[in-house]
Amino acid sequence: NIGSSTAAGLELDVEYSATDALSLTFSLGLVDAKFDEVISYLPDGTATDISDTYNITNTPDTTANFAVSYEIESSLGNFVVNGNYYYRSDYVLSPTDLLVTQDGYGLLNFGVNWYSEDGDWTAALQWKNVTDEEYIVGTYAFVTPQDDGSYLPGLGGDNRLIGYYGDPQTVAFTVGYQF
């Protein structure tokens, strides 16, 4: 409703079965997104283009994922050992004035899944964000930045600038039974 934007990109997904048990996957996403025109109105009613202060949010230029999965058949059931590394380049989380930005980061995850021979039981041990990376996934930015680096309350007098972080290092164990 506020203007026009342009986005162009490329996505690549590759899966490779190295053996019957070993699978490798890789994905890469590249995007270039920007606002071309954002029209605002001055108090006297004059239209002005403020696209230089607007950003496409939550859109890193580069995302990538590399995953490995290895299946093991045994007399105790079937095991699947997996791991992946996910990367996002830097991105902006607030639509105006670069109030909240996130530097590029990567997440490393490992897991082991077990499936009983009869298929009734499952168990999984997952270790996510192994390196305990801190990264912002969302924000509420209701302030107005000033030229001197200070902030004034935004629309409606709200003065909150809040960042929401992704999950920290997490270890989870689950057991399931299907009947």
Side-chain angles (χ1 to χ4, degrees):
N1 293 344
I2 62 170
S4 62
S5 63
T6 303
L10 171 75
E11 189 172 300
L12 172 70
D13 293 305
V14 177
E15 290 188 34
Y16 176 64
S17 295
T19 68
D20 287 343
L22 178 63
S23 298
L24 308 170
T25 60
F26 174 75
S27 62
L28 175 67
L30 304 172
V31 66
D32 181 23
K34 65 181 174 124
F35 278 108
D36 299 317
E37 180 181 64
V38 177
I39 301 301
S40 182
Y41 294 90
L42 300 174
D44 68 1
T46 305
T48 183
D49 182 2
I50 58 170
S51 58
D52 59 335
T53 65
Y54 267 72
N55 308 288
I56 305 288
T57 61
N58 245 336
T59 307
D61 292 340
T62 305
T63 57
N65 187 59
F66 176 72
V68 177
S69 179
Y70 188 73
E71 296 181 27
I72 303 167
E73 293 182 12
S74 78
S75 60
L76 299 174
N78 296 325
F79 294 86
V80 177
V81 179
N82 54 48
N84 81 302
Y85 181 78
Y86 172 73
Y87 173 77
R88 286 185 89 171
S89 65
D90 61 322
Y91 55 96
V92 178
L93 287 136
S94 57
T96 59
D97 298 313
L98 300 174
L99 285 176
V100 181
T101 60
Q102 172 60 56
D103 291 336
Y105 65 91
L107 298 177
L108 181 63
N109 306 297
F110 293 113
V112 177
N113 299 292
W114 169 76
Y115 305 93
S116 66
E117 283 292 319
D118 61 11
D120 291 341
W121 288 93
T122 61
L125 179 62
Q126 304 295 321
W127 185 12
K128 296 186 178 185
N129 192 2
V130 172
T131 60
D132 203 22
E133 187 73 30
E134 289 185 2
Y135 57 102
I136 301 172
V137 295
T139 186
Y140 285 119
F142 296 116
V143 294
T144 303
Q146 302 301 297
D147 292 336
D148 65 2
S150 65
Y151 299 95
L152 292 177
L155 296 174
D158 201 339
N159 63 357
R160 286 178 263 193
L161 180 58
I162 301 169
Y164 295 95
Y165 287 82
D167 292 336
Q169 182 181 104
T170 306
V171 176
F173 180 70
T174 58
V175 176
Y177 178 74
Q178 179 176 318
F179 52 94

